[in-house]
Amino acid sequence: MKKLQLSTDGGARGNPGPAGAGLVIKDENGNILLEHGEYLGETTNNVAEYTALIEALKFAKTLGGTDLEILMDSELIVKQMLGQYRIKQPHLQELAVKVKALLAGFDSYTFKHILREYNKEADRMVNQAIDQALGL
């Protein structure tokens, strides 16, 4: 059993606008195993949030994770993943299907909504990716 903590964030400057996905993966002792940010081009905040989650799950599998704690500051995505909110938009439904398929490859997972100020590491990865792509 290998427990991992995934902190993910996505953001767009403007909505839609230049967007990025960021993630930080830690082991159960809080040691950072991986930090990743990527520029996504022009898209929405919600697409960026889902993309960050998808990428984090792929990396977690590569790192041998079996049990995940997923931390996100997007209340919408967390509640959609927990089945508390319906996913109305078809393009987000497609992304949610990808997430659920990836989640099926783990023994257990939990989603936890956290406040933005507790997600600074993943947010930093988002902004670095956008800044670098825009030459800022």
Side-chain angles (χ1 to χ4, degrees), residues 5-77:
Q5 182 185 74
L6 284 55
S7 298
T8 71
D9 197 18
R13 296 185 185 161
N15 196 20
L23 60 100
V24 177
I25 300 178
K26 296 180 181 179
D27 65 18
E28 60 188 314
N29 298 316
N31 300 309
I32 295 175
L33 302 176
L34 178 82
E35 292 181 304
H36 177 76
E38 78 182 76
Y39 181 66
L40 303 175
E42 294 273 323
T43 194
T44 65
N45 283 322
N46 290 337
V47 169
E49 292 279 5
Y50 266 112
T51 302
L53 176 56
I54 289 165
E55 292 304 309
L57 292 170
K58 289 177 182 176
F59 281 121
K61 186 52 98 178
T62 301
L63 292 169
T66 57
D67 299 87
L68 308 180
E69 179 184 32
I70 302 164
L71 308 176
M72 302 181 74
D73 62 26
S74 171
E75 184 176 10
L76 176 74
I77 308 298

Side-chain angles (χ1 to χ4, degrees), residues 74-86 113:
S74 171
E75 184 176 10
L76 176 74
I77 308 298
V78 169
K79 290 199 172 188
Q80 287 178 339
M81 288 294 97
L82 295 175
Q84 296 170 353
Y85 286 175
R86 282 194 0 222
H113 175 250

Side-chain angles (χ1 to χ4, degrees), residues 50 53-58 60-61 65-66 68 70 80-81 87 92-109 111:
Y50 266 112
L53 176 56
I54 289 165
E55 292 304 309
L57 292 170
K58 289 177 182 176
K61 186 52 98 178
T66 57
L68 308 180
I70 302 164
Q80 287 178 339
M81 288 294 97
I87 306 169
L92 296 183
Q93 289 172 349
E94 289 176 21
L95 293 171
V97 166
K98 287 182 184 177
V99 169
K100 290 178 182 177
L102 289 165
L103 287 171
F106 296 96
D107 294 342
S108 71
Y109 57 87
F111 280 92

